[in-house]
Structures are given as structure tokens and as C-alpha cells.
Amino acid sequence: MSADGALALAVTGSNLTGDLPFSAALRRGHGAVHVAPAAPVPPGTRTDLAAMCAELCLAHGATPQQLDTVLVDVGPGSYTGLRVAITFVRFLVAFGGARAEAVDSLALLAHRGTANAAVRTNRVRALLDARRGRWHTALYGVEGERLRELEAPAAVEPAVVQQRLVDGDVLVVPAALRTVVAATASADVELVVATGLHAGELFHPGLPRCAASVDALEPRYLMGSYADG
């Protein structure tokens, strides 16, 4: 992460919770995180990500050229949103000199579960609709405020997820999956429904992230074969 005084931008186009097609956040050093937009937008609305980031920088006395670090979640998620967001980050890295750090979108979703769960948990599982009768999922262990991957992301049938559940698990899902997951969960689990997940959450130090070159920044789509399990 960026050092004291360094300027960092976070962007997301994965639209994990279905209500923020694009989001951006800005932070200088370890100061306050400024998020745009800060609230869900009307369905079907998709703002210009580059313009959003430029306006966010301008509002806080910075320019995109001054960025030291750019954080981005790389999927799974919205096909269009991921393409736009990752292309934008590639541009900043290639032509602006910023350093990129990538986060798996399922880890971002899982972290929401650690923050919103009613009880302390050691295991949190993120779920997204992978289409074709499958759920996209990954399992994380919770160590203090940090997440550690216990089960790699994969797109599997719901029955496989059910077999892997244990009592005490926290399941984190978007609102669109609430009903079907609640009806099929086969263990004593807590269901956390995530809404309004925004780019500012990428700054949390507990998220697993890795440095990424322009070539390594590849979107992971919901129906992508990379995660077939």
C-alpha cells in the first residue's frame, strides 16, 4: 500500500451487489477515504469512470498524474464493468506511472461479511451467481481483521457448496441470491446480504492483494473458465 502522503485511487466495476456499476475512492497516505458515488445509483445507470475519477481527484486537490497506487478488484463480476475498470487501470499504470494492486472480487465481498456478521466467525464464504446453474464461490479464514484464502475461487453447482458448509459459516451474497441461498443452505449458517459495496472498501488492510503489471491485469468474468471447479 501507499506510504504516508502518497496518493492512492481505488476503482471497481465488478458491480458485485448490483447497485453500483462503477465506484471510485481516493486516499492520501492513511487519511480519510473519499468515495464517489457514495450511494446506490438508479438501475441501468452507468457513469463515466474516467470522468468520475478526474472529478474525484479535482475535488480533493489532486490530479490523476499524481497517483502512486491504483487498487482494483479483478472479478468475478460484471463483464462490461470489469473490462472498463481494468482497461482504465492499465492506462494509468502504462502512461501515468502508478503502481497497480489487484484484489479478487470474492475476497472483497467476503470482507463485507466479516464486518456485518452478527457474531464473530472464523470462516466466511462469498457467493455470486455464475449462471448456467452454478454459484461462483470462495472460502476465507478470518484471522483478526485479515482474510486468508482457504478455498480457491471456483464456479460450482449449488449442491457442492451445500456439501462444503459447516455450522457457524457466514455466507455473503448479493440481494439477488438471498432467497435461493436461504432456501437451500444445509447447515446452521449466517446469511449476510451485501448492498452498496463500493471502491473505498478496497483500502481495508485485511484484504489479500497483489502487485500487478499491465500484462497481469486480467478480468475474471462470472462465466469464465478460469474458475471452473
Side-chain angles (χ1 to χ4, degrees):
M1 277 297 296
S2 57
D4 288 348
L7 192 66
L9 177 73
V11 298
T12 177
S14 56
N15 197 17
L16 297 178
T17 52
D19 45 20
L20 280 178
F22 290 123
S23 176
L26 189 71
R27 186 174 76 174
R28 188 177 295 279
H30 299 289
V33 175
H34 308 283
V35 181
V41 299
T45 301
R46 188 181 294 276
T47 54
D48 184 319
L49 179 61
M52 177 192 296
C53 292
E55 292 170 4
L56 181 62
C57 287
L58 180 63
H60 297 283
T63 67
Q65 292 76 19
Q66 295 173 323
L67 291 170
D68 296 283
T69 307
V70 185
L71 309 181
V72 61
D73 65 321
V74 293
S78 163
Y79 179 83
T80 301
L82 285 171
R83 287 181 62 192
V84 171
I86 291 176
T87 298
F88 176 65
V89 172
R90 284 173 173 164
F91 178 86
L92 291 176
V93 172
F95 299 103
R99 175 178 180 270
E101 295 187 358
V103 176
D104 190 287
S105 299
L106 285 167
L108 180 61
L109 185 63
H111 179 262
R112 175 63 74 86
T114 67
N116 289 18
V119 297
R120 190 67 179 171
T121 181
N122 294 319
R123 288 168 39 113
V124 57
R125 178 179 293 278
L127 292 173
L128 293 169
D129 185 357
R131 318 296 200 283
R132 300 177 293 182
R134 299 187 300 174
W135 289 346
H136 210 122
T137 186
L139 178 67
Y140 298 89
V142 183
E143 300 174 351
E145 292 189 341
R146 294 191 174 275
L147 294 182
R148 178 172 62 88
E149 186 180 283
L150 299 179
E151 180 185 297
V156 300
E157 295 180 354
V160 174
V161 174
Q162 294 162 13
Q163 292 167 4
R164 296 175 181 175
L165 293 178
V166 301
D167 289 352
D169 279 356
V170 169
L171 302 183
V172 193
V173 302
L177 270 184
R178 179 208 307 254
T179 302
V180 64
V181 172
T184 57
S186 56
D188 183 10
V189 300
E190 180 181 351
L191 187 63
V192 173
V193 178
T195 60
L197 199 152
H198 57 76
E201 297 177 52
L202 286 167
F203 284 114
H204 194 280
L207 282 171
R209 57 172 61 90
C210 62
S213 65
V214 171
D215 293 337
L217 280 172
E218 289 291 339
R220 303 171 180 176
Y221 301 121
L222 279 170
M223 296 176 66
S225 60
Y226 89 97
D228 285 347

